[in-house]
Amino acid sequence: MADLSSTLAWTFTQEVDIPEEIQDLLVSGEEAKLAYKTIRDVAVITNKRLIISDKQGITGKKTEMYTIPFKSIIMYSSENGGTFDLNSELEFWTKAGKFKLNLNKKVDIRKLDKLIAQYIL
């Protein structure tokens, strides 16, 4: 299990199609809205949570799934990329700790920010 006293972080590189296999993880009334390529896998944003798949090991056969329910998010901040810093960041404070999403310049931070705000607020 991850040590939540330190900040967990993932990098979203670009928006991708929502994988079909995600349907097996969704609960009644939950809908997948967006998906992003991460370094080794994919993250999906639903109307209820963030699901982040994290492949591990050299072969990537072992996968750890993180689920962050929107109802557990207490506060978040967004930082858009500037002239010299091309990446953007979303940082979240939850009941269990803090985590960060680093967004490549191909990711529309405002689109993601608005979607997350829609489900948190």
Side-chain angles (χ1 to χ4, degrees):
M1 183 173 167
D3 175 14
L4 290 179
S5 63
S6 60
T7 302
L8 294 171
W10 293 278
T11 300
F12 290 5
T13 58
Q14 64 185 23
E15 190 174 333
V16 294
D17 292 334
I18 297 167
E20 287 294 320
E21 61 270 14
I22 200 70
Q23 297 303 319
D24 295 338
L25 298 175
L26 303 182
V27 299
S28 178
E30 186 175 21
E31 299 173 24
K33 298 296 185 178
L34 285 174
Y36 293 94
K37 175 91 176 90
T38 62
I39 300 299
R40 292 183 69 181
D41 212 342
V42 70
V44 176
I45 289 83
T46 76
N47 59 325
K48 297 184 181 286
R49 61 183 163 159
L50 279 84
I51 303 170
I52 301 171
S53 179
D54 186 13
K55 289 188 179 179
Q56 301 177 346
I58 296 170
T59 62
K61 289 184 180 180
K62 181 179 177 184
T63 303
E64 186 169 9
M65 299 292 285
Y66 290 88
T67 293
I68 299 118
F70 288 132
K71 66 183 179 183
S72 74
I73 297 172
I74 300 166
M75 176 178 96
Y76 79 103
S77 67
S78 63
E79 178 183 297
N80 64 326
T83 304
F84 299 107
D85 182 12
L86 299 177
N87 291 334
S88 301
E89 297 176 355
L90 289 170
E91 195 164 5
F92 299 85
W93 287 262
T94 72
K95 297 172 185 174
K98 186 166 77 167
F99 72 96
K100 183 190 302 190
L101 301 178
N102 297 305
L103 310 175
N104 183 290
K105 62 183 174 184
K106 294 179 186 176
V107 175
D108 181 349
I109 188 171
R110 293 300 157 226
K111 178 179 180 180
L112 181 55
D113 189 2
K114 187 174 183 178
L115 184 68
I116 291 169
Q118 179 180 342
Y119 296 121
I120 290 176
L121 302 176

